[in-house]
């Protein structure tokens, strides 16, 4: 697919129609942050833009739609025991592929991994994971520190975000998805 002003405008229209204004503004913030990281660390700006714009595309879908996709597309059925927080990326990529026609596997993977991270992450995966956390509209405690780290060392930014997200989830007694722990072990504890 050729990515030009026309295709971008069409994509933006579909994304805007799929979410609240607040979330759409978040998505635009993630795109700006991802483009800046792509420039700094040498990733394709086109891929960074498309992955950022689509990363939360499915977030406002109903639980029943996600459950249907999990069953119909042979996902691990353990996913049925989780919720939108985990589904909207991991399973949401399916909606992006089907409805927006995005087939680039590296983009789809960055969407899949944007919430939990993973032990193995490509440059694009890291950029989307970090951009989602540091975009200008975010007001998370410690976000200024995360922004400063992201300008110096992307792997360290992945570690910082992972540690703080996990600490927050533990603080509120949330269940931890195993992939989030894998991310912690690799990027924070630096376990081989
Ligand atoms: P957003 O979609 O832009 O709001 O951000 P994310 O996709 O990164 O995260 C969505 C939500 O999932 C946030 O509230 C995270 O704290 C939460 N989250 C991330 N990892 C886990 C996990 O392992 N378990 C649970 N229960 N929630 C998680
Ligand atoms: Fe998300
Ligand atoms: Fe995130
Ligand atoms: Fe997001």
């Amino acid at each position: 697919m050729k990515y030009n002003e026309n295709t971008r405008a069409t994509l933006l229209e579909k994304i805007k129609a799929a979410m609240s204004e607040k979330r759409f503004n978040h998505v635009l913030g993630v795109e700006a942050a991802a483009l800046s990281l792509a420039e700094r660390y040498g990733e394709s700006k086109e891929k960074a833009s498309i992955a950022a714009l689509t990363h939360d595309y499915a977030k406002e879908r109903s639980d029943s739609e996600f459950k249907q996709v999990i069953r119909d597309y042979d996902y691990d059925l353990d996913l049925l025991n989780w919720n939108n927080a985990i589904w909207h990326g991991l399973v949401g990529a399916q909606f992006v592929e089907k409805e927006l026609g995005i087939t680039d596997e590296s983009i789809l993977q960055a969407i899949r991994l944007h919430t939990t991270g993973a032990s193995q992450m490509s440059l694009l995966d890291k950029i989307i994971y970090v951009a989602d956390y540091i975009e200008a509209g975010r007001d998370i405690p410690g976000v200024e520190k995360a922004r400063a780290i992201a300008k110096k060392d992307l792997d360290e930014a992945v570690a910082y975000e992972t540690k703080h997200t996990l600490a927050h989830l533990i603080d509120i007694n949330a269940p931890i998805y195993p992939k989030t722990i894998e991310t912690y072990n690799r990027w924070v504890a630096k376990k081989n």
Side-chain angles (χ1 to χ4, degrees):
M1 182 186 91
K2 248 185 105 206
Y3 194 52
N4 54 34
E5 271 176 45
N6 274 331
T7 50
R8 185 170 186 282
T10 309
L11 188 60
L12 276 176
E13 227 171 272
K14 290 179 182 167
I15 292 159
K16 190 171 188 176
M19 59 188 66
S20 70
E21 194 177 342
K22 186 171 181 230
R23 178 154 291 114
F24 185 66
N25 287 331
H26 160 67
V27 160
L28 293 178
V30 175
E31 186 195 31
L35 283 171
S36 149
L37 294 172
E39 171 100 49
R40 187 175 294 271
Y41 294 106
E43 180 53 272
S44 151
K45 290 197 174 183
E46 185 174 323
K47 281 188 183 184
S49 166
I50 298 172
L53 291 176
T54 56
H55 83 283
D56 278 340
Y57 174 72
K59 188 142 175 176
E60 296 183 15
R61 295 305 175 99
S62 68
D63 289 0
S64 60
E65 271 183 283
F66 278 113
K67 287 178 182 171
Q68 189 74 37
V69 169
I70 290 164
R71 292 200 181 89
D72 290 354
Y73 290 85
D74 287 330
Y75 282 85
D76 182 344
L77 292 177
D78 173 61
L79 274 166
L80 294 171
N81 302 315
W82 293 84
N83 60 23
N84 179 280
I86 301 303
W87 295 335
H88 81 278
L90 274 177
V91 185
Q94 186 72 45
F95 292 86
V96 171
E97 183 171 7
K98 211 149 187 238
E99 296 174 12
L100 303 179
I102 287 157
T103 53
D104 183 298
E105 189 51 38
S106 61
I107 292 174
L108 295 173
Q109 177 171 290
I111 297 167
R112 284 186 201 111
L113 301 183
H114 88 264
T115 305
T116 62
S119 53
Q120 304 274 2
M121 294 171 86
S122 70
L123 176 57
L124 185 64
D125 298 339
K126 292 172 190 170
I127 285 173
I128 299 303
Y129 182 75
V130 170
D132 188 30
Y133 196 74
I134 67 169
E135 65 98 354
R138 285 283 199 209
D139 192 16
I140 309 161
V143 70
E144 288 296 348
K145 179 98 192 280
R147 288 180 184 130
I149 296 170
K151 287 186 180 167
K152 295 196 164 149
D153 186 329
L154 190 59
D155 287 0
E156 219 185 290
V158 168
Y160 183 89
E161 169 180 346
T162 301
K163 179 169 176 161
H164 288 264
T165 299
L166 188 51
H168 165 70
L169 292 169
I170 289 169
D171 192 48
I172 63 171
N173 294 330
I176 310 298
Y177 191 67
K179 214 168 182 67
T180 302
I181 297 176
E182 286 175 28
T183 306
Y184 168 83
N185 282 339
R186 167 66 181 82
W187 299 100
V188 182
K190 299 190 165 67
K191 183 179 180 299
N192 291 313

